[in-house]
Amino acid sequence: MRTIRHLLQPPAGLLLNAVTGAAAWPLLVLVGMCAALVPFGGLGRPLLARLLVVVRALTRLQRARAAGVLGHRITEPSPRGRTVRDLAWLAVHAVVGPACLMSVGALLASAWKIVRLRTAEAGMSATLTLSLAIVTFVVIALAAIPLLHTLQARLAERMLRPEPSLASRVRQLTESRAAAVDAQAAELRRIERDLHDGAQARLISVRMNLGLVRGASDPDQIRDLVQEAWESAGQALVDLRDLVRGIHPPVLADRGLAGAIQAASLLCPIPVEVDIDLPARPDAPVESALYFAAAEALTNVAKHSLATRAWVRLSHSGGVLRLTVGDDGRGGADLVAGTGLAGIRRRLSAFDGTLAVHSPVGGPSELTMELPCALSSPKISHF
């Protein structure tokens, strides 16, 4: 069922784009008429406002569909430049949407004519002609329809996303800095909470037991109090070691990012295929951010995906460190609704990194994390 649903997505998307493209023609005509009536007052302005609401709804639908195909979110432009972009996309979509479906129909019609002509020349039966036609249609559908579906999504992304500007870059850096400050504050609160509930409470227990020893005279009571203090001190050491590992795991310091991710993959309850191509080590803060992002992603896979296998790919090219975590589970991961994914994005944004989520309902899912960085120290051997 999942495979059938996955195969039907490109044809359904192509058909929907053709329908919305055909509907764009009368909508564009109405927008033009109302815009021409605006200088004369009357109903021109309110009608134009209502039509632009419909246009905006269509563009939001297209952004959502394109984001699902491409696997990353497409942000909306600012209100000032949004209307012009929406109308420009609508004009292009009115041509491209139906044209893509018509091109597929033309390919299928041409294939049918060629098959009939060749089989007629060879004197083949009608059954064989139909069989060859079906095979030809399937090949064309598997090749042309997904390609046109993806090209439409990329065209929508190109036309509907906001143009990069200095103001948007400043806003992005401001958001990254705020995310870094929030992540640091959350980490400090976690450390404080762990110290208060763990090591600090046990050390207080040690002090209380030792205070009772000072006033005790019964040797058995003294022995019990000292034993209890010894056990509490040992547990406090365990809590402190766990706390330190949560800040910077020893395996990350010893074996680098590659070895740490492989160790985290071994702890995952489902089989994880690891493919790492990392010629050297990035800086320690970058290693830590990507390690915890990968560990969080694997934890989400184990808890929520119902997957039977997962994979982790890590590589560096063009000055970008790229980490992909995927699974064959049920999909449906949502970057907006998922707190775990939002936490990963905040962690990466502190280093100007990005998180792209491709998780259609029914799966498979892939999280792609990209973080610009340079590799510095020599390669560290790993498992």
Side-chain angles (χ1 to χ4, degrees):
M1 182 65 67
R2 180 188 306 169
T3 304
I4 295 175
R5 191 161 50 240
H6 182 70
L7 291 175
L8 290 178
Q9 284 178 355
L14 211 63
L15 180 61
L16 178 62
N17 284 333
V19 172
T20 54
W25 284 104
L27 188 58
L28 282 171
V29 172
L30 290 174
V31 168
M33 293 175 59
C34 291
L37 292 175
V38 166
F40 303 100
L43 295 176
R45 188 178 297 276
L47 286 177
L48 179 62
R50 287 175 172 80
L51 288 173
L52 290 179
V53 171
V54 177
V55 173
R56 191 166 299 122
L58 282 176
T59 56
R60 284 176 177 167
L61 172 65
Q62 190 65 26
R63 282 192 190 92
R65 290 191 58 81
V69 174
L70 302 177
H72 57 262
R73 182 171 174 265
I74 302 175
T75 57
E76 290 191 13
S78 63
R80 179 178 299 178
R82 183 169 54 199
T83 301
V84 175
R85 282 186 168 272
D86 289 352
L87 291 175
W89 167 81
L90 194 65
V92 173
H93 185 64
V95 177
V96 174
C100 286
L101 188 63
M102 292 171 62
S103 63
V104 173
L107 285 173
L108 294 177
S110 300
W112 172 248
K113 291 180 180 179
I114 293 172
V115 169
R116 289 192 60 184
L117 180 62
R118 293 295 175 85
T119 52
E121 291 176 353
M124 297 180 182
S125 64
T127 302
L128 183 57
T129 301
L130 182 60
S131 300
L132 290 174
I134 292 174
V135 171
T136 304
F137 291 172
V138 169
V139 171
I140 292 176
L142 291 177
I145 294 178
L147 177 62
L148 291 173
H149 191 222
T150 303
L151 288 177
Q152 283 184 312
R154 293 196 180 280
L155 177 63
E157 179 192 27
R158 179 66 185 87
M159 297 195 67
L160 295 177
R161 70 183 179 186
E163 285 290 341
S165 63
L166 179 59
S168 63
R169 181 58 179 163
V170 170
R171 183 170 60 253
Q172 180 183 6
L173 292 175
T174 302
E175 293 173 355
S176 297
R177 184 181 65 178
V181 171
D182 291 343
Q184 184 180 23
E187 185 69 8
L188 289 175
R189 287 194 298 270
R190 182 188 68 83
I191 294 172
E192 181 181 14
R193 183 176 62 252
D194 291 347
L195 284 173
H196 180 272
D197 297 340
Q200 178 178 324
R202 299 187 188 281
L203 290 175
I204 291 174
S205 176
V206 171
R207 181 179 175 85
M208 291 177 60
N209 286 334
L210 293 179
L212 292 174
V213 167
R214 294 174 60 183
S217 57
D218 185 0
D220 293 335
Q221 183 184 10
I222 293 174
R223 187 182 306 108
D224 293 340
L225 290 171
V226 171
Q227 178 66 23
E228 186 176 345
W230 181 81
E231 292 175 354
S232 297
Q235 190 59 50
L237 287 175
V238 172
D239 292 340
L240 289 173
R241 289 194 191 99
D242 292 340
L243 181 62
V244 171
R245 289 192 184 98
I247 298 173
H248 194 76
V251 67
L252 187 60
D254 296 340
R255 297 187 175 272
L257 181 60
I261 288 179
Q262 287 185 329
S265 301
L266 293 175
L267 296 176
C268 188
I270 64 174
V272 180
E273 176 187 346
V274 180
D275 181 12
I276 295 178
D277 181 16
L278 199 61
R281 291 185 64 168
D283 294 335
V286 173
E287 281 191 330
S288 180
L290 268 184
Y291 167 75
F292 283 111
E296 177 69 22
L298 288 174
T299 300
N300 289 342
V301 170
K303 285 184 177 180
H304 308 298
S305 70
L306 302 180
T308 58
R309 68 180 186 92
W311 55 91
V312 177
R313 302 186 185 97
L314 177 64
S315 62
H316 183 274
S317 62
V320 176
L321 198 59
R322 185 173 292 103
L323 174 68
T324 301
V325 180
D327 65 81
D328 65 348
R330 60 183 178 180
D334 190 349
L335 183 58
V336 177
T339 56
L341 295 178
I344 293 175
R345 183 172 61 177
R346 284 195 302 270
R347 187 184 293 274
L348 297 178
S349 66
F351 300 91
D352 209 15
T354 60
L355 170 65
V357 179
H358 179 67
S359 182
V361 176
S365 299
E366 273 200 344
L367 309 182
T368 302
M369 300 162 240
E370 294 185 347
L371 204 156
C373 75
L375 302 183
S376 53
S377 54
K379 184 176 181 178
I380 299 296
S381 62
H382 46 79
F383 302 114

